[in-house]
Amino acid sequence: MDATTKPLRIPPEMSIYAEEHDIYELVQSLVISLMVDKPEDPIHYLISLLKRGNFEVPKVMLLGPPFSGKTTIARKLCEHIKAIHITASNILKESTDLTKKAQEYTAKEQEIPVDIWIKLIQQRLLKIDCVRQGWVLEGIPQTHREAVSLQEAGVIPDHVVLLEAPDAVLIERSHGKRVDPITGDPDFFFYTCIDIYHVTFIWPEDNEVAHRLERQTSDSEEQGVTQLMKQHQEVTALRRTYQYCLKSIDADQPFVDVFDQVLTYVLSRHRSVAPHTPRVLLFGPPGSGKSLQAKLISQKYNTVNLCCSELLEAVCADATSMGELIKPYLESGQQVPDSMVLQILTDRLSKLDCTTRGWVLHGFPRDLEQAEKLQEANFIPSRVFFLEMTDDVVIERVSLTSVDPVTGDRYHSLYKPAPSPKVQGRLQFHPKDSEAQLLQRLKEYWANSSSLQAFYPEAVHISADQDPHTVFESLESRLVVPLPKSLPVKGENST
């Protein structure tokens, strides 16, 4: 074969390193920043970006009509993800010439010109706290024009949350709203009060604060209704502008539920366009459907399907030196030594199809020691799944299953009985599927399950006691989307 036509062989260490350190995403982020800012000296600009570090900071826009709970959600979200809470009100408190110019418009109850407003937002987001910790823009942008102008200025969020609720609910909430006259900032032109409470949903624990709370004025309520109508006019265009990263969340439910949904979405990562080689481990008790799910993943994503027991049988059948070594163990039903299994497995995982297309492995590792040896050999999975099922369901599913030796079809006494007495008469049950054997295999599985789960803490647990295609959809949804970002450690990003 001509050297120029040989397939490229990528060592597994390269893709593992790239994925572990988000190299593809880093390069993509640098290129986007470069094209948006268009610096005169690109090299110096990129060097300064790399020195700044911390590219994966939150960039969130929290939108919604008045009284939808944006302020409360934004505060709590910033506490959790350690981001900077940005509102129209606190932007206007900055002491700059541009801010003073904007305040002249608000003093006259006039709208701030969009070009000035966008520059103010840019200035605030470029400050070191937002650069290092990320930001949550509450109620910004309010209009489609603002959204487009922000995009043109390079202010591009990773997540946009749109809180929604029926008008009747929002108006009812407005009647129960209370403001602290001492610490509050009732700037209803922008709807960003600092200390807002509600007679039903959020009441202060401090009695002194509770006694001094004041109801909104009727003018403020009227302004709120006006803003509500304005939001209706703009919301469709805002959805279209941020359709690539927007999630709508029903705000007409308990605060805890709303916040959990917001936090889960903000911590999620959008599907990456970076090249990705799936390396999947499937765990589960016997009968949980590992073989079927591996087959479905392999068929859809063109990955190599590796069942450890089938691989050992194939090596044995090849009559190689290794095949001769493991043959006595397989014929006697004994377990093949770990060292031999690992050698066979690593040889197979090192082949070109596995390194370029990825793999789905099941049947190994079975215990913590095997998992550690697999990792030491530098075969590190990108996704790990535990298919969960109770022992009772396993026994019912497996012990009542039989095979037609003529056609190879599988039948189940309850869910898929033989089509005729003739077929029923020739069905065979595998000895290892007897209830006694199953109980022993289950005992071995559960004895090692906890240590394996601890070894793979980011593993996803999926109930296997449901339709196989439903199980596959759950697997697939977590296979193609990057793992969620972890919360910052307390004190992190504080410098």
Side-chain angles (χ1 to χ4, degrees), residues 27-42:
V27 172
Q28 179 177 298
S29 176
L30 290 172
V31 171
I32 290 174
S33 298
L34 196 62
M35 299 309 293
V36 168
D37 293 342
K38 300 180 180 65
E40 290 185 6
D41 186 346

Side-chain angles (χ1 to χ4, degrees), residues 167-312:
D167 288 356
V169 172
L170 297 172
I171 293 171
E172 182 184 352
R173 286 185 180 182
S174 73
H175 294 157
K177 207 164 192 175
R178 298 292 184 268
V179 179
D180 187 339
I182 295 179
T183 62
D185 176 19
D187 180 4
F188 278 89
F189 185 76
F190 290 106
Y191 297 95
T192 53
C193 289
I194 294 176
D195 281 295
I196 301 173
Y197 300 93
H198 195 279
V199 294
T200 303
F201 306 110
I202 305 172
W203 195 249
E205 295 180 1
D206 190 328
N207 289 331
E208 184 179 343
V209 174
H211 284 305
R212 69 176 183 239
L213 294 185
E214 295 179 354
R215 192 176 184 276
Q216 290 178 214
T217 64
S218 58
D219 288 342
S220 295
E221 290 182 5
E222 289 176 8
Q223 287 178 333
V225 173
T226 302
Q227 284 287 336
L228 182 57
M229 296 302 103
K230 183 178 178 182
Q231 199 265 349
H232 284 325
Q233 296 170 1
E234 297 287 346
V235 68
T236 301
L238 287 170
R239 283 179 187 277
R240 189 167 57 248
T241 305
Y242 294 115
Q243 58 185 318
Y244 67 95
C245 64
L246 183 143
K247 182 178 178 64
S248 297
I249 293 176
D250 181 11
D252 185 19
Q253 51 182 328
F255 170 78
V256 173
D257 295 337
V258 177
F259 177 73
D260 285 346
Q261 292 173 47
V262 172
L263 181 62
T264 298
Y265 177 62
V266 169
L267 293 179
S268 70
R269 303 169 74 182
H270 303 298
R271 183 170 180 175
S272 174
V273 296
H276 173 61
T277 306
R279 303 181 304 278
V280 182
L281 277 184
L282 289 180
F283 292 100
S288 57
K290 298 185 295 296
S291 297
L292 174 59
Q293 297 304 325
K295 180 182 177 182
L296 293 173
I297 292 172
S298 177
Q299 287 175 343
K300 182 158 186 179
Y301 294 98
N302 195 33
T303 57
V304 180
N305 181 5
L306 291 177
C307 172
C308 187
S309 60
E310 292 177 3
L311 179 61
L312 294 178

Side-chain angles (χ1 to χ4, degrees), residues 404 411 418-427:
D404 184 344
Y411 296 97
S420 67
K422 183 179 178 180
V423 174
Q424 178 66 41
R426 66 178 185 237
L427 295 183

